[in-house]
Amino acid sequence: MAALPKRIIKETERLNKEAPDGITAEPHEDNLRYFDVTIKGPGGSPFEGGTFKLELFLPEDYPMAPPKVRFLTKIYHPNIDRLGRICLDILKDKWSPALQIRTVLLSIQALLSSPNPDDPLATDVAKHYKENEKEAIAQSQEWTRKYAVAG
Amino acid sequence: MSSEGSDVDFYYDDDDEMIVDDDEGSAISEDDMDGIDTYRDDYAAQPSSSKRKIYEVEFDTLPQEAVEGLIRKDVEYISSILGVETDAASLLLRHMNWNKEKLIERYMEDSAAQSAKAGIAPVEPPPAQIPPSSSRSSSSRSVKTSSAPKRVTRRTTAESALKAKALLTPEPSVEPESFLCPICCDDSQPKTLSLVCDHKFCADCWVHHLKNKIRVEGDYSIKCMASGCTLIATDSFVTSTLAEEPESVERYKELIVRSFVAANKALKFCPYPSCTYTVSCPNAATKSALTQMVPTVHCATESHKFCFGCPIESDHRPVICGVAKMWLKKCEDDSETANWIKSNTKECSKCQSTIEKNGGCNHMTCRKCKYEFCWVCMGPWSEHGTTWYSCNRFDEASGIEARDAQARSRASLERYLHYYNRWANHEQSAKLSADMYAKTEKKMEEMQITSNLSWIEVQFAKKAADELFKCRMTLKWTYAMAYYLQKDNEKEIFEANQSDLEQAVESLTELLESPIEAEDIPVLRQKMTDKTVYVQKRSEIMLEDTAKGFLENRWRWNVNVDGFEPATVLAD
């Protein structure tokens, strides 16, 4: 495997030393471009109390191309589909090489705080959120309890 | 010519009246036949050397450099009118999708907002880490437009991005030698570059970024690498940064040309693979123009023939794009399968299940609903009393409706098949005649060797074959047109022309296929040349009359066609 670019080494170091609140990201030993990620559900959100597992992969072109990120834990969220794919602008067209793993994960955490049903990926969830927000939030909380709380 | 013009008006009026009163029909048809003769005379009076035929469209082909020239002209025009640099003018134009008038209007209203949107000046005041002494960013101070993200998620994204930027962007006081590029985290890069936003990155990363955007994403409006920065790299920045990547610069230019061509309705890129020519055809730029003509054009490479109005087929004259498209869709659609079902099956009059009778007697029992009926009259079997198997109840009211519907559908299918078979036959024949010509050519070559004929003397066969191919294509599309033409006198003339051309084409085909003997060649050549000229003339007449018909709005359709009056008589 080609040598790991300096940029990735630095980012990994910083993620280790000063991880953002509620976020962990650890590279695999055999593939330093592949990260196991956990994000804690932000306080005040329907996902509070849950710990969500994600996978993150830095493609060959990184940082010219965005990292690939996917939820592994089931989550009831209008911008995250059943396969865990995330609808987030900075992972697509708004990606900038100046962004980092850290900023991406912070943005995903922010997305948990403020679901955006107007730009949905999981259309059924979005519809639920638009038509009966209270019920949808309850559903999100239930899924969090069911799938994202250890034990 | 003027007398002919009045003639035309005369027909047109008659045509309108005819819809009201059918009795005048016969009288008009004679007049119309005279009309044909007029056209024929016209043709005889004007040999084919006259400049442009009525069924041809005026167009111009431009190489890529010429389009670049057009772009430059627009950019310079905007630059002088708005008093901005050419780089800025280019970005403004791209932002407005090359619409000069709209740009000038909007820019006059709010130049700062437009500059920000076009990516010339930063939207937000420059980040704190940029030294106030940076004179280049001063212009952006005043720009505080609110194109800030509207949605909550997006804002959080931008915020976190800003935080990251603050962490990553180097202190301005750092010496250039120890500059740490925030993208590659390399501090050994000697050269840094930035747009007017002053977000510095090493030259290597810029090259990668630009190349990636241009080559992989096909993007030509490339934003600054700093997240959230909306500044777009100017043409001069891109070309100077990619000085050692000429291929990427070429691609960049091509992308801009393509966007310019796409935005301009009077321009079209030649669709042939790796052809870089653009065709300009202002006459066919509007939708309504396409109801009056078939803009068959070609780029500087003459064989690159295409239709300016649609991607259906390179030359579908005489029928206009809309009708040609409708016809192809009909041919491709499963609608004909449905037609077959209609013609070959019947529906149970109780549960509407489709039933195909493949044997047995007329006493049918629907497998689904167990309804018993007579296959012949479709009436209930119970009404047949004891006269089993010999249905004499033809006029029974309960069966009439079912039978009528079936007869209509059968007739419509037959009508369609009539046109379709001829359409397909011409296509097939065109292909065959090309093969045929290949054989003839071989024979001709042999003859050239064995006899004393020169190369030029055997070219008549090629000319005939080329003409045949062209005419077969025209004929093919005349059947598509005829299918949709409403049955009236105009259609009769159309079909008369069609049949003349068809006969001419068939006899020329026969000549081309006749066996060639060396001693007969002079005679054959004479015959074939004559016939070719005749075919050419018939084809001219066909195309000319149809084109004139479109211009004069003479054609009436049996279906609703966009841009025409609704059909008065709808086809079944």
Side-chain angles (χ1 to χ4, degrees):
Chain A
M1 196 177 161
L4 212 58
K6 252 189 190 165
R7 153 94 181 229
I8 297 182
I9 297 170
K10 287 228 167 183
E11 277 201 60
T12 313
E13 270 173 19
R14 262 199 70 206
L15 277 170
N16 249 331
K17 251 194 284 173
E18 29 182 317
D21 276 352
I23 294 175
T24 66
E26 291 211 16
H28 271 208
E29 265 173 42
D30 53 346
N31 185 353
L32 295 171
R33 286 175 176 269
Y34 187 91
F35 289 75
D36 283 324
V37 176
T38 66
I39 297 179
K40 282 208 163 73
S45 77
F47 310 99
E48 189 175 356
T51 304
F52 295 88
K53 281 196 190 133
L54 296 90
E55 57 179 0
L56 182 146
F57 180 71
L58 303 175
E60 193 56 40
D61 295 342
Y62 183 82
M64 295 307 158
K68 300 188 185 310
V69 198
R70 189 171 80 91
F71 268 83
L72 296 173
T73 309
K74 258 174 94 95
I75 183 165
Y76 196 75
H77 189 290
N79 309 102
I80 299 161
D81 74 0
R82 281 194 304 184
L83 297 176
R85 293 177 299 195
I86 306 161
C87 175
L88 188 63
D89 55 358
I90 58 159
L91 290 176
K92 310 261 157 53
D93 55 319
K94 292 281 166 19
W95 170 253
S96 141
L99 292 169
Q100 309 172 32
I101 302 175
R102 165 189 208 85
T103 45
V104 165
L105 297 180
L106 281 168
S107 298
I108 294 174
Q109 196 180 37
L111 187 65
L112 294 184
S113 295
S114 41
N116 177 12
D118 290 324
D119 186 12
L121 183 62
T123 40
D124 47 334
V125 181
K127 204 171 153 220
H128 199 183
Y129 258 86
K130 285 192 96 159
E131 282 170 2
N132 190 346
E133 202 182 348
K134 226 172 127 189
E135 202 185 286
I137 287 175
Q139 177 91 338
S140 293
Q141 286 167 336
E142 199 195 314
W143 278 38
T144 306
R145 268 197 304 280
K146 222 162 139 188
Y147 303 110
V149 179
Chain B
M1 270 312 209
S2 63
S3 69
E4 188 207 307
S6 56
D7 272 355
V8 162
D9 287 340
F10 172 66
Y11 303 144
Y12 182 69
D13 290 341
D14 268 2
D15 200 4
D16 275 354
E17 279 170 30
M18 199 195 69
I19 294 165
V20 188
D21 192 350
D22 265 327
D23 293 343
E24 286 182 346
S26 57
I28 297 155
S29 85
E30 273 173 33
D31 282 351
D32 281 342
M33 290 316 284
D34 287 350
I36 279 294
D37 285 329
T38 319
Y39 298 141
R40 220 175 273 157
D41 293 346
D42 271 1
Y43 178 72
Q46 293 177 314
S48 55
S49 59
S50 68
K51 41 189 188 330
R52 195 167 56 81
K53 313 226 171 52
I54 187 163
Y55 55 84
E56 285 173 341
V57 64
E58 214 173 328
F59 64 93
D60 204 5
T61 67
L62 312 164
Q64 185 167 328
E65 300 81 62
V67 182
E68 278 167 11
L70 288 178
I71 296 176
R72 236 184 342 265
K73 230 174 79 192
D74 277 8
V75 166
E76 273 158 21
Y77 170 75
I78 289 297
S79 158
S80 68
I81 286 216
L82 302 182
V84 293
E85 304 255 316
T86 47
D87 269 343
S90 167
L91 289 179
L92 282 168
L93 272 167
R94 276 194 243 163
H95 167 60
M96 275 298 159
N97 207 14
W98 307 97
N99 188 331
K100 284 175 285 191
E101 287 73 34
K102 199 167 135 198
L103 169 61
I104 293 169
E105 195 180 300
R106 294 281 169 84
Y107 194 83
M108 293 301 185
E109 275 169 22
D110 191 348
S111 61
Q114 290 310 319
S115 303
K117 278 187 190 158
I120 297 165
V123 176
E124 295 152 311
Q129 66 268 23
I130 288 173
S133 61
S134 169
S135 60
R136 281 182 298 174
S137 56
S138 62
S139 65
S140 56
R141 287 286 136 79
S142 56
V143 188
K144 273 191 188 174
T145 38
S146 56
S147 72
K150 286 167 208 128
R151 288 173 297 205
V152 192
T153 42
R154 300 299 184 256
R155 198 177 307 133
T156 29
T157 305
E159 268 168 21
S160 45
L162 261 176
K163 259 186 260 163
K165 195 163 57 190
L167 288 167
L168 271 172
T169 320
E171 296 296 321
S173 57
V174 178
E175 290 298 312
E177 293 88 64
S178 61
F179 171 80
L180 177 79
C181 173
I183 304 296
C184 60
C185 296
D186 200 336
D187 51 8
S188 59
Q189 294 290 338
K191 207 174 144 206
T192 69
L193 294 170
S194 72
L195 302 176
V196 289
C197 54
D198 222 11
H199 295 128
K200 284 199 182 84
F201 303 102
C202 76
D204 241 28
C205 281
W206 266 115
V207 170
H208 271 125
H209 180 61
L210 295 177
K211 252 178 80 179
N212 188 61
K213 286 280 175 188
I214 294 168
R215 306 293 292 254
V216 179
E217 294 176 31
D219 200 354
Y220 52 90
S221 286
I222 303 163
K223 286 201 179 115
C224 164
M225 285 195 279
S227 160
C229 182
T230 54
L231 245 70
I232 291 173
T234 59
D235 293 349
S236 40
F237 182 85
V238 171
T239 38
S240 67
T241 308
L242 293 177
E244 280 160 36
E245 303 274 348
E247 278 182 18
S248 298
V249 175
E250 270 314 300
R251 179 84 184 124
Y252 177 74
K253 282 187 184 158
E254 196 187 316
L255 287 168
I256 290 179
V257 165
R258 277 185 185 267
S259 109
F260 179 80
V261 169
N264 195 327
K265 286 200 168 67
L267 297 179
K268 270 231 164 87
F269 235 62
C270 173
Y272 285 76
S274 68
C275 183
T276 54
Y277 280 100
T278 299
V279 170
S280 158
C281 183
N283 290 342
T286 60
K287 254 194 168 169
S288 63
L290 292 179
T291 63
Q292 297 203 322
M293 61 157 118
V294 186
T296 306
V297 298
H298 60 77
C299 78
T301 312
E302 278 215 27
S303 60
H304 288 186
K305 200 152 77 160
F306 64 98
C307 173
F308 198 85
C310 70
I312 291 175
E313 199 168 290
S314 55
D315 183 0
H316 56 74
R317 283 180 298 196
V319 68
I320 53 166
C321 302
V323 175
K325 191 174 161 196
M326 213 155 58
W327 169 254
L328 279 194
K329 189 161 185 300
K330 184 167 177 67
C331 295
E332 282 164 14
D333 260 10
D334 272 351
S335 63
E336 295 318 319
T337 309
N339 238 334
W340 184 92
I341 291 171
K342 266 194 212 156
S343 302
N344 294 284
T345 67
K346 292 180 181 181
E347 279 166 12
C348 164
S349 34
K350 203 171 169 201
C351 74
Q352 316 306 325
S353 302
T354 316
I355 299 165
E356 183 191 3
K357 181 172 144 85
N358 57 3
C361 74
N362 289 331
H363 181 178
M364 306 294 286
T365 307
C366 174
R367 187 172 286 191
K368 213 165 160 195
C369 69
K370 309 289 177 223
Y371 174 68
E372 289 177 53
F373 63 95
C374 166
W375 182 254
V376 179
C377 74
M378 298 305 287
W381 191 257
S382 54
E383 285 174 23
H384 283 62
T386 49
T387 51
W388 308 102
Y389 310 132
S390 55
C391 179
N392 59 350
R393 304 176 64 87
F394 189 79
D395 292 321
E396 202 59 59
S398 49
I400 286 175
E401 210 177 297
R403 279 197 308 274
D404 278 2
Q406 198 187 6
R408 266 202 307 277
S409 124
R410 210 174 272 259
S412 127
L413 177 67
E414 258 167 36
R415 183 170 172 273
Y416 165 74
L417 285 177
H418 169 92
Y419 289 103
Y420 179 78
N421 286 337
R422 279 153 187 79
W423 188 80
N425 176 46
H426 280 299
E427 182 159 76
Q428 187 61 23
S429 302
K431 277 189 199 129
L432 290 178
S433 72
D435 295 348
M436 181 67 213
Y437 172 69
K439 275 186 221 147
T440 317
E441 197 181 28
K442 228 175 165 185
K443 218 169 174 186
M444 289 290 187
E445 263 170 38
E446 281 166 24
M447 242 171 269
Q448 241 175 289
I449 300 163
T450 54
S451 70
N452 55 357
L453 283 168
S454 68
W455 176 82
I456 204 90
E457 279 173 302
V458 293
Q459 286 309 297
F460 65 92
K462 166 138 190 67
K463 235 186 137 210
D466 286 349
E467 194 58 38
L468 269 183
F469 185 82
K470 239 171 67 192
C471 290
R472 291 252 183 225
M473 286 301 157
T474 307
L475 274 172
K476 176 179 110 171
W477 285 106
T478 58
Y479 279 105
M481 178 145 170
Y483 179 77
Y484 288 113
L485 274 181
Q486 187 183 304
K487 202 164 166 42
D488 59 13
N489 295 314
E490 297 297 343
K491 185 180 181 181
E492 259 175 51
I493 296 169
F494 181 85
E495 285 179 332
N497 280 330
Q498 185 188 38
S499 118
D500 282 350
L501 176 59
E502 196 159 49
Q503 275 171 27
V505 162
E506 291 304 335
S507 56
L508 181 57
T509 310
E510 211 181 309
L511 270 184
L512 195 66
E513 284 174 9
S514 59
I516 303 172
E517 299 303 333
E519 56 269 27
D520 296 341
I521 285 191
V523 182
L524 183 67
R525 188 175 71 182
Q526 190 55 46
K527 267 196 199 160
M528 214 186 269
T529 313
D530 285 352
K531 209 58 172 176
T532 308
V533 171
Y534 180 65
V535 164
Q536 231 166 9
K537 278 193 184 179
R538 291 312 322 175
S539 141
E540 297 261 335
I541 289 164
M542 177 89 244
L543 290 173
E544 239 169 60
D545 183 58
T546 327
K548 269 190 189 160
F550 280 118
L551 288 175
E552 292 155 9
N553 198 12
R554 254 198 278 139
W555 306 118
R556 295 283 171 272
W557 309 101
N558 56 24
V559 286
N560 290 328
V561 178
D562 268 355
F564 287 85
E565 292 163 29
T568 43
V569 184
L570 284 169
D572 8 73

